[in-house]
Amino acid sequence: MGGDMNDLSSAPRPEGERPKMQRKPDWIRVKAPVSQGYQETRKLMRELNLHTVCEEAACPNIGECWTKKHATVMILGDTCTRACRFCNIKTGMPMPVDPLEPEHTATAAAAMGLEHIVITSVDRDDLPDRGAGQFVKVINALRRETPNTTIEILTPDFKGRMKQSIAEICEAGPDVFNHNLETVPRLYPTIRPGARYYASLRLLEEVKVHNPLIFTKSGIMLGLGEGRLEVHQVMDDMRSADIDFITMGQYLQPTPKHAKVEEFVTPKQFAAYGSIARAKGFLQVASSPLTRSSYHAGDDFAEMRAAREAKLAKQGA
């Protein structure tokens, strides 16, 4: 397929006509968030000057998660140095790193009584350490303030400084290290042009080299034009990298300027992919249209930890 497969601006349109958004099938429509829990979570994030990927990436599960006082904190600001075709986070020159962000994140975790927290970030290719140091500071702050909270991080690829960044973060000791492959290798030039598929796989392998006890996790979006066998190959590549947890969810076009949805994958198809992933040996699998990297992350972590303990017990026996 050509390089402008998903470029909505390539076809001529009458002057003044805007591109139309695609109609979503019933199985991925969600209600607008209006609950008190949602409002309280939003207020807390504003008071602490924290960003969340829930808002910035227009996650469809924000109403459910925030009502339950679950939120994914996005550190290193709200502006990304890359421009992926699927992502709704704004691109540009970011502001300086907020030195109070680690403590504010820990304060939010304590105020919400979080048993499990997910920390992600924008890409910060402008920083010498690509933002790794801020992840370390946030993990350390959480360990001080909320020592019983398990910590999951969802990181960028730390382009050009991957090994050193992984070593520093693994030393801080997150419970789960997530880095998303996002799509199949063939679609990287159009969907994720600033990244490299095999570099992302190596990153997750590197985590296991430093600390085999840290759970690794990765996810892909479906509906971007990938083929079934390509998805199976991504699963095999993940297992070769000893990744513990795979997530698969439906790609949704955030705005008419982003890559369009090539297919709305049915719940039945997602269930089939999930069955195949389990057969391939992942400790944990999440596969549904509304699955996102941090959706039900706390429950999934508990199940994954139990699955590892059962597997080790079986091997010991």
Side-chain angles (χ1 to χ4, degrees):
M1 297 183 183
D4 61 350
M5 175 186 69
N6 289 309
D7 189 349
L8 299 180
S9 64
S10 60
R13 289 191 297 270
E15 187 175 351
E17 182 182 331
R18 292 184 177 182
K20 293 181 180 180
M21 293 290 287
Q22 294 155 291
R23 181 178 173 82
K24 299 181 182 69
D26 292 339
W27 63 76
I28 52 175
R29 293 183 188 174
V30 293
K31 294 181 180 178
V34 292
S35 72
Q36 182 179 346
Y38 169 84
Q39 299 298 342
E40 289 173 353
T41 301
R42 187 175 187 277
K43 182 172 181 286
L44 178 65
M45 294 299 159
R46 296 294 80 77
E47 287 173 351
L48 293 171
N49 193 33
L50 291 173
H51 302 284
T52 68
V53 75
C54 320
E55 294 174 286
E56 305 297 339
C59 179
N61 304 313
I62 188 171
E64 177 186 347
C65 292
W66 281 26
T67 295
K68 295 177 179 178
K69 298 294 181 71
H70 297 166
T72 299
V73 176
M74 187 173 75
I75 63 173
L76 295 166
D78 65 348
T79 304
C80 189
T81 54
R82 300 189 196 173
C84 296
R85 294 289 315 286
F86 63 87
C87 185
N88 197 42
I89 294 170
K90 66 182 178 182
T91 301
M93 180 53 67
M95 297 289 287
V97 176
D98 179 3
L100 298 177
E101 197 172 53
E103 295 303 325
H104 284 171
T105 301
T107 298
M112 294 170 72
L114 297 183
E115 295 179 0
H116 186 84
I117 188 170
V118 182
I119 306 297
T120 189
S121 80
V122 292
D123 280 287
R124 289 298 300 260
D125 296 324
D126 60 310
L127 299 175
D129 72 347
R130 309 297 187 266
Q134 192 77 336
F135 272 99
V136 171
K137 290 175 183 176
V138 170
I139 293 169
N140 290 339
L142 288 164
R143 294 296 186 214
R144 286 194 305 270
E145 298 298 322
T146 58
N148 295 324
T149 301
T150 50
I151 301 170
E152 178 172 332
I153 57 170
L154 171 56
T155 76
D157 59 12
F158 304 114
K159 191 174 185 178
R161 194 184 180 272
M162 185 265 286
K163 285 195 173 185
Q164 188 175 348
S165 296
I166 298 307
E168 293 168 1
I169 293 172
C170 286
E171 184 67 25
D175 296 284
V176 182
F177 199 122
N178 185 0
H179 173 68
N180 286 330
L181 295 181
E182 306 292 9
T183 188
V184 302
R186 176 176 56 83
L187 296 179
Y188 262 56
T190 52
I191 301 301
R192 202 179 176 218
R196 297 293 178 268
Y197 177 80
Y198 291 103
S200 287
L201 276 174
R202 283 198 300 274
L203 182 153
L204 290 158
E205 285 181 316
E206 193 72 17
V207 173
K208 289 292 190 182
V209 168
H210 280 277
N211 188 344
L213 295 180
I214 295 176
F215 290 100
T216 50
K217 178 177 176 180
S218 190
I220 60 171
M221 302 170 290
L222 303 183
L224 283 162
E226 69 289 331
R228 180 174 57 86
L229 295 181
E230 288 180 303
V231 175
H232 294 177
Q233 184 60 55
V234 170
M235 293 181 194
D236 289 337
D237 291 342
M238 286 190 185
R239 289 305 301 132
S240 294
D242 200 21
I243 293 169
D244 299 302
F245 186 174
I246 182 174
T247 62
M248 291 175 279
Q250 173 69 52
Y251 166 69
L252 298 176
Q253 185 183 19
T255 75
K257 294 181 179 179
H258 287 80
K260 69 177 182 178
V261 177
E262 297 292 332
E263 177 189 8
F264 284 108
V265 181
T266 67
K268 185 176 180 180
Q269 289 173 290
F270 271 105
Y273 278 130
S275 295
I276 291 166
R278 290 181 187 92
K280 289 181 182 293
F282 289 95
L283 280 179
Q284 183 73 351
V285 176
S287 180
S288 74
L290 286 174
T291 290
R292 295 296 182 267
S293 291
S294 54
Y295 188 42
H296 295 164
D299 293 338
D300 286 337
F301 171 72
E303 291 178 12
M304 180 167 56
R305 185 163 54 183
R308 175 190 276 175
E309 289 171 357
K311 182 178 179 180
L312 292 174
K314 186 176 180 180
Q315 290 173 346

